[in-house]
Amino acid sequence: MILTDPRFALLRQLTAFGLFLLIWEAAGRYELINPLFVPSPSRIGASLYELFADGRIWPHLEATFTAALVGLALGIIVGIVLGVVAALVPPIAELVEPVMTLLNAIPRVVLAPLFVIWLGIELASKIALAFILVAVVIFFTVYGGIRQVDRKLVERIVTLGGSRWDLVRHVYLPSVAAWVLGNLKVAVGFAFTGATVGEFVGASRGLGYLLSFAQSTYNAALMFALIFLMMVVVLLIFAAAGRLEKFLLRWQ
Amino acid sequence: MSLVGPSGSGKSSLLRAVIGLQKPLAGTVDPGVKPSEIGMLFQDDALLPWKTARDNVALGLGFRGCAQKSALVQADYWLDRLGLAGFEHRYPRHLSGGQRKRVALAQVLAQMPKLLLMDEPFASLDAIVRARVIQDVASLVEEERISVLLVTHDLEEAISLSDRVYLLSQGPRARITQVYDVPIPRPRDPVKARVHPSFAPLYEKLWNDLSHEVAFDQRAEAAE
């Protein structure tokens, strides 16, 4: 029953994860794995506790969050505006689409060193990287989405006497909202990737900076602790994004 | 009145030209009323999925300059008339096919059109729902004295609903080949109209003429 019933799926997953941690811990204690490379879960937990206990983590969390969330917001706004304009005004599409295609073709994190040179090692370069990662994804979501909008809905608005602005307001923008919300989790992931990689390349604070510091001091426990922390943070944001999506797309 | 004819004869294109969704390749279209007095009911209900039934109905009224509050009152009135009282706040996804069709009808009728274009509007409904929706449509357009131009493949539907049926030849460049007056008196119940003595002979004639058009087209294709 418990092994097959879908209602107990979470319980099964938690049990499996707990077992995995136990085996990992035991392997560490019996020196089956080298703690220099793979520290035991208890050592990682202790590292995480220290980060919060002495309050060191807060300025770093604040820096990463600020960069990721500002980059996310700007990326969504600019991506939507460019996507809508390009889809509705073909001459603009001729200019914007090739640039976006080029940006999409390269691994955009390679721009991180350039942003550090242009904008310095403070917050701006991290925001810029998070922004560019998010804006390209949102642009293609919106641009492609609007071009595939249900023609029947468009004709419905036209036959009811709606203007071009009515079309944008009642058909295109709600469609865009649905597509953007559907891609919000991807965008959140990109925003945190941008912020962290930016900090990794050159920063004075942030989770990426701490990761870089842990790497340079061969502190694997700290690295694991930071990776775990980022996973938890992003999962919490995913949950919030999921709730927002469920509320705003309740008509689906 | 109804337009029937083989597939590809341009029935739907004609309706689209009348309402301005498509420009005719040549000539002009004079529907006899202002564009704002024409309503169109499509085969797909094409309701905005993110708006409730009430908001969907009120939408067109807003386009015509009606204040939001008044538009919502009128939307409630039309939903009530179409038997959808209590469903005002449902989203299209949470309505049945017949209910969605009624909302689409309420959306069009709320604009008080003088000419209603219907492009196979009942094709997607199952038989029982279809009969009931057709009855409602027939009684509403009679009460509101709305002229209707119906495009359909269903000859029974064409005869039971219309005063006159036009048969189109095969396209391209289709033309009207026959006109049939339907001698079934009004007010008329489209379901009961099917047992009127003049129904079966008219159906047979229409069917034979339509079959002739289709066969003619097949012969022309074979000759090519």
Side-chain angles (χ1 to χ4, degrees):
Chain A
M1 178 80 172
I2 285 183
L3 287 176
T4 53
D5 193 327
R7 285 176 299 171
F8 295 109
L10 182 65
L11 182 68
R12 287 195 295 272
Q13 287 167 337
L14 288 175
T15 309
F17 185 60
L19 270 174
F20 171 71
L21 287 182
L22 269 178
I23 294 167
W24 183 359
E25 181 69 32
R29 292 198 179 204
Y30 289 103
E31 295 180 356
L32 296 173
I33 47 177
N34 187 344
L36 188 66
F37 300 116
V38 187
S40 63
S42 59
R43 183 71 202 90
I44 297 168
S47 226
L48 202 55
Y49 175 77
E50 280 168 26
L51 279 174
F52 282 95
D54 61 15
R56 252 190 314 150
I57 192 70
W58 298 115
H60 299 290
L61 268 178
E62 186 202 346
T64 306
F65 258 76
T66 308
L69 296 182
V70 173
L72 178 70
L74 288 176
I76 288 176
I77 293 168
V78 172
I80 288 177
V81 171
L82 282 179
V84 170
V85 172
L88 298 179
V89 187
I92 302 280
E94 285 171 14
L95 296 175
V96 177
E97 196 190 356
V99 177
M100 288 297 184
T101 305
L102 273 177
L103 282 173
N104 200 32
I106 56 166
R108 293 186 293 287
V109 288
V110 300
L111 297 172
L114 205 55
F115 287 143
V116 170
I117 291 173
W118 286 346
L119 303 167
I121 63 164
E122 291 307 316
L123 211 54
S125 57
K126 285 78 198 164
I127 292 175
L129 192 59
F131 161 77
I132 205 85
L133 287 177
V134 173
V136 173
V137 173
I138 297 295
F139 169 81
F140 280 110
T141 302
V142 172
Y143 180 61
I146 285 189
R147 297 201 318 169
Q148 287 167 21
V149 81
D150 191 345
R151 292 299 306 166
K152 291 194 286 281
L153 297 185
V154 173
E155 291 188 345
R156 178 41 118 200
I157 297 295
V158 171
T159 57
L160 286 172
S163 62
R164 198 170 166 82
W165 165 240
D166 290 323
L167 268 178
V168 171
R169 190 173 151 213
H170 295 289
V171 177
Y172 292 127
L173 287 183
S175 301
V176 163
W179 299 316
V180 170
L181 285 168
N183 278 282
L184 192 56
K185 287 179 185 171
V186 177
V188 167
F190 272 128
F192 274 88
T193 303
T196 314
V197 170
E199 289 161 356
F200 207 83
V201 170
S204 55
R205 62 198 179 111
L207 296 178
Y209 163 76
L210 267 188
L211 257 179
S212 174
F213 168 76
Q215 183 205 23
S216 63
T217 54
Y218 244 75
N219 188 344
L222 180 58
M223 275 194 255
F224 271 95
L226 289 168
I227 291 167
F228 177 74
L229 185 60
M230 278 186 228
M231 269 163 45
V232 171
V233 164
V234 173
L235 280 177
L236 285 175
I237 295 176
F238 274 17
R243 291 201 131 196
L244 182 71
E245 187 182 338
K246 204 170 176 182
F247 172 72
L248 291 175
L249 302 183
R250 59 191 180 281
W251 49 270
Q252 281 190 337
Chain B
M1 61 188 193
S2 293
L3 269 179
V4 295
S7 295
S9 56
K11 303 182 291 293
S12 297
S13 298
L14 180 63
L15 289 199
R16 293 171 65 82
V18 171
I19 202 159
L21 287 175
Q22 200 170 315
K23 281 188 180 165
L25 287 173
T28 54
V29 178
D30 179 10
V33 292
K34 287 186 268 182
S36 60
E37 293 171 335
I38 306 175
M40 185 159 180
L41 198 59
F42 296 89
Q43 182 173 342
D44 299 289
D45 41 66
L47 298 171
L48 297 182
W50 39 82
K51 287 190 182 285
T52 61
R54 189 185 196 211
D55 290 336
N56 263 293
V57 177
L59 191 66
L61 294 165
F63 296 159
R64 302 274 159 94
C66 187
Q68 175 75 0
K69 204 172 172 182
S70 164
L72 289 174
V73 170
Q74 289 186 59
D76 287 343
Y77 166 77
W78 279 101
L79 286 171
D80 187 28
R81 266 191 90 172
L82 280 146
L84 288 170
F87 292 89
E88 298 90 346
H89 301 290
R90 296 255 183 113
Y91 288 99
R93 187 179 136 83
H94 302 128
L95 295 169
S96 68
Q99 288 170 330
R100 284 200 299 272
K101 188 61 72 184
R102 285 168 199 269
V103 175
L105 187 61
Q107 192 180 46
V108 177
L109 292 180
Q111 292 193 307
M112 304 296 282
K114 287 186 176 166
L115 173 61
L116 176 58
L117 309 175
M118 300 204 289
D119 190 0
E120 299 195 53
F122 316 114
S124 56
L125 302 176
D126 66 63
I128 296 171
V129 175
R130 181 179 183 155
R132 295 193 64 174
V133 174
I134 287 176
Q135 275 179 321
D136 287 347
V137 171
S139 83
L140 279 168
V141 295
E142 262 187 36
E143 281 169 31
E144 300 296 327
R145 308 215 30 95
I146 300 168
S147 300
V148 177
L149 177 54
L150 169 70
V151 158
T152 179
H153 276 108
D154 186 333
L155 301 186
E156 287 187 24
E157 195 173 279
I159 298 168
S160 62
L161 278 171
S162 316
D163 294 321
R164 192 169 291 164
V165 180
Y166 290 87
L167 175 64
L168 281 178
S169 64
Q170 181 66 43
R173 291 183 188 155
R175 57 191 174 79
I176 292 168
T177 56
Q178 300 281 351
V179 181
Y180 311 86
D181 285 319
V182 181
I184 304 171
R186 288 194 185 274
R188 185 196 296 174
D189 179 332
V191 175
K192 290 179 183 158
R194 295 172 195 224
V195 293
H196 190 273
S198 58
F199 184 91
L202 183 56
Y203 182 90
E204 193 180 358
K205 181 163 174 38
L206 196 49
W207 171 252
N208 288 338
D209 292 344
L210 181 61
S211 301
H212 176 75
E213 282 300 330
V214 175
F216 179 77
D217 176 54
Q218 284 168 348
R219 284 197 301 273
E221 250 178 42
E224 280 175 17

